[in-house]
Amino acid sequence: MTQTTCEIKPSPVFAARKRNLVLSQLAKETLETLHVPIHSELVHDSNGSTDFGNVSGIVPGILIYLPYVDAPGHSQQWLDAGKTDEAKACMTNSAKAMAGVMFDLIQNPGLVKAAKEEFDKL
């Protein structure tokens, strides 16, 4: 009815993640301010492919890893742990870290420039 059309361009289903240490450092600083324990590697290098990998290939971005269970990813134990209060706290703290990163970027355009420059180098 609206005469809408679209063009589908095949692309990799899940691309490797592209890291951004500028954004990672901002997230780490926010989490430290909140006294939130962080993963030893807040942002992992491109060691996996995800739908976020596709996004991180277009714009600077990060994934925030917070520990709530010591179990292999996608295992039953990991799935069950995702329903706990600890997992909910991790989601809340991740959201706070993302908000902190955005606040820092809004307050300091030089950080935006630095994140873009790092993105362009990778």
Side-chain angles (χ1 to χ4, degrees):
M1 290 175 52
T2 65
Q3 298 179 345
T4 302
T5 63
C6 73
E7 179 181 346
I8 299 173
K9 296 180 181 180
S11 63
V13 178
F14 297 118
R17 294 181 297 238
K18 192 173 179 180
R19 66 188 170 117
N20 193 287
L21 297 178
V22 172
L23 299 180
S24 174
Q25 183 62 33
L26 293 174
K28 182 179 178 185
E29 290 168 6
T30 298
L31 291 166
E32 287 173 348
T33 299
L34 296 170
H35 305 289
V36 173
I38 60 172
H39 192 282
S40 60
E41 292 181 46
L42 181 65
V43 175
H44 296 275
D45 288 335
S46 297
N47 62 352
S49 300
T50 69
D51 53 348
F52 176 74
N54 297 44
V55 173
S56 70
I58 299 169
V59 295
I62 55 170
L63 288 177
I64 298 171
Y65 293 88
L66 297 178
Y68 67 92
V69 65
D70 185 20
H74 307 289
S75 66
Q76 187 61 50
Q77 182 184 7
W78 183 74
L79 176 68
D80 293 341
K83 301 171 188 174
T84 64
D85 289 339
E86 291 83 3
K88 291 174 189 170
C90 283
M91 287 191 310
T92 300
N93 288 328
S94 293
K96 289 177 182 179
M98 287 188 284
V101 169
M102 292 309 301
F103 180 82
D104 291 341
L105 294 172
I106 290 167
Q107 293 296 310
N108 187 345
L111 292 172
V112 175
K113 182 179 178 189
K116 287 181 180 179
E117 287 173 353
E118 181 183 353
F119 174 81
D120 290 339
K121 289 178 186 176
L122 295 177

